[in-house]
Amino acid sequence: MDSHDSRSEYESRMHRVLAYIDEHLDEQLDLATLADVAHFSSFHFHRLFSAWMGETFGDYLRRRRIEVAAMRLAAQPRTRILYIALSVGFGSAEAFTRAFKNRFGCSPSAWRELQSLQRHAKSNSDQANSKHGQALQVTFTEHEVSRKLNKENIMKVVLIDRLPATVAYFRHLGPYGEPIVRFWQETYVPWAVMNKLGADHARYGISHDDPSITAPEQCRYDACAEVLPDFMATGGALKKTIPGGKYAVLHFNGTVERVGEAWAALLRNWLPSSGLQLDGRPCFEYYPKGAAFDCKTGKFECEICIPVVPL
């Protein structure tokens, strides 16, 4: 195995570990278990994890639990704080509150109230702007998005059962927005052309982190192509399976400047009233075979998919 293949193998194993952590945040996680997931020696795994991630396993686990909890507090305003604490692995509301204050400087209840006030303030601001004929100001790079979407689009949210999908992917670590556009163009497209993965292959864009919560330099994004299970990933690409199951899907047709608005409306407006909640599977944008793209207007179509289970 040459040095390039060796690094790809390490990267693939560490990605499996990170996915396993997100899927099991409500469980006791230890280094021995994660070493088995990665097929590495448990004796050396802590050092390997710290070297690869730039933070210890304990620090990473605490950060992910708090960040996921913060997203759920905003997306599930009627869910008890204790339940959210338990769902990300805290044994009590007191322990959760202490950790949350250390990370965000306020209690979980204060955070939730702040998110609600910001959502209503943004909605009122949008209404005032629309009365004066002003365009919605949406900064995709920072995901400072509108908290509303018109009723016609809200009605297009459907629940579907998706089958698992094998994908080959490249991971971007850093800020979202324009860097992601360049990542697709400069990293994914040349590789896809070399591997004859054109418009007849479905694509996925997976944002693993919320940039309003996670530091920009720690945000993870995967640019993926759907492939057959026996596809041989080359050129630095990795392979994984996107889990199947129940997803809420919003069909989107618009520009990059509006896609953040659609995400916010789905997570902050539709989800809290749906009787459903997110689980540990990733959210993603699904670009089906032959998905429309207008190079003149910049409009594209995709399906915004969020994994859901009963509340």
Side-chain angles (χ1 to χ4, degrees):
M1 181 180 293
D2 62 27
S3 60
H4 188 276
D5 289 340
S6 176
R7 181 173 180 83
S8 292
E9 178 63 20
Y10 262 73
E11 190 171 4
S12 178
R13 294 189 189 188
M14 293 306 295
H15 287 189
R16 286 202 301 269
V17 168
L18 300 185
Y20 184 91
I21 291 173
D22 276 0
E23 292 166 4
H24 298 82
L25 285 175
D26 61 336
E27 301 176 12
Q28 288 291 111
L29 292 170
D30 56 61
L31 287 168
T33 299
L34 297 179
D36 285 342
V37 172
H39 299 297
F40 282 131
S41 164
S42 59
F43 183 76
H44 296 292
F45 185 70
H46 189 277
R47 178 174 292 179
L48 284 173
F49 187 96
S50 298
W52 191 269
M53 295 301 300
E55 57 187 325
T56 67
F57 164 67
D59 287 344
Y60 178 84
L61 181 58
R62 281 188 291 273
R63 177 170 68 82
R64 284 302 296 156
R65 282 177 164 157
I66 290 298
E67 290 174 353
V68 171
M71 289 188 284
R72 292 179 180 175
L73 284 167
Q76 299 162 204
R78 293 181 296 183
T79 301
R80 293 176 59 195
I81 290 176
L82 176 58
Y83 179 84
I84 289 178
L86 296 174
S87 76
V88 294
F90 285 91
S92 69
E94 291 76 17
F96 175 57
T97 297
R98 286 195 301 271
F100 199 92
K101 283 184 176 179
N102 286 337
R103 173 67 173 81
F104 290 106
C106 65
S107 68
S109 58
W111 165 271
R112 172 177 272 173
E113 180 64 22
L114 178 61
Q115 297 301 303
S116 176
L117 290 173
Q118 288 179 342
R119 181 167 61 249
H120 289 306
K122 182 63 177 177
S123 178
N124 292 337
S125 174
D126 290 340
Q127 291 174 11
N129 285 341
S130 66
K131 288 179 181 179
H132 291 85
Q134 299 176 7
L136 290 175
Q137 299 300 307
V138 181
T139 305
F140 178 69
T141 302
E142 298 298 330
H143 278 226
E144 296 170 353
V145 297
S146 166
R147 299 306 191 208
K148 71 173 193 173
L149 197 65
N150 62 51
K151 292 181 180 179
E152 179 182 357
N153 282 337
I154 289 293
M155 293 299 293
K156 292 180 180 178
V157 178
V158 296
L159 297 177
I160 66 171
D161 290 302
R162 290 185 56 89
L163 294 174
T166 301
V167 296
Y169 70 100
F170 291 90
R171 175 158 295 180
H172 175 271
L173 183 64
Y176 291 162
E178 183 59 31
I180 296 298
V181 175
R182 293 198 303 271
F183 184 69
W184 276 98
Q185 295 171 341
E186 298 172 4
T187 301
Y188 174 86
V189 171
W191 173 85
V193 171
M194 288 287 293
N195 286 272
K196 300 180 180 179
L197 298 174
D200 59 336
H201 282 76
R203 292 170 292 123
Y204 299 77
I206 305 177
S207 299
H208 293 279
D209 303 288
D210 183 336
S212 68
I213 295 172
T214 302
E217 66 273 12
Q218 293 175 322
C219 287
R220 299 162 295 156
Y221 178 91
D222 295 341
C224 317
E226 187 167 338
V227 295
L228 295 174
D230 60 355
F231 178 82
M232 297 296 294
T234 60
L238 303 172
K239 275 177 61 179
K240 64 179 175 181
T241 299
I242 296 177
K246 187 76 69 179
Y247 287 83
V249 177
L250 173 65
H251 181 80
F252 175 80
N253 191 337
T255 61
V256 165
E257 289 76 18
R258 300 301 295 270
V259 71
E261 179 183 348
W263 270 105
L266 185 60
L267 289 171
R268 302 298 175 92
N269 293 350
W270 180 85
L271 184 62
S273 302
S274 68
L276 302 167
Q277 62 181 320
L278 301 176
D279 66 7
R281 294 168 292 163
C283 302
F284 53 83
E285 292 169 7
Y286 173 64
Y287 303 87
K289 298 177 182 178
F293 173 72
D294 189 328
C295 59
K296 292 182 179 180
T297 65
K299 285 188 174 183
F300 65 94
E301 66 174 341
C302 70
E303 295 176 359
I304 298 175
C305 304
I306 62 172
V308 292
V309 293
L311 188 62

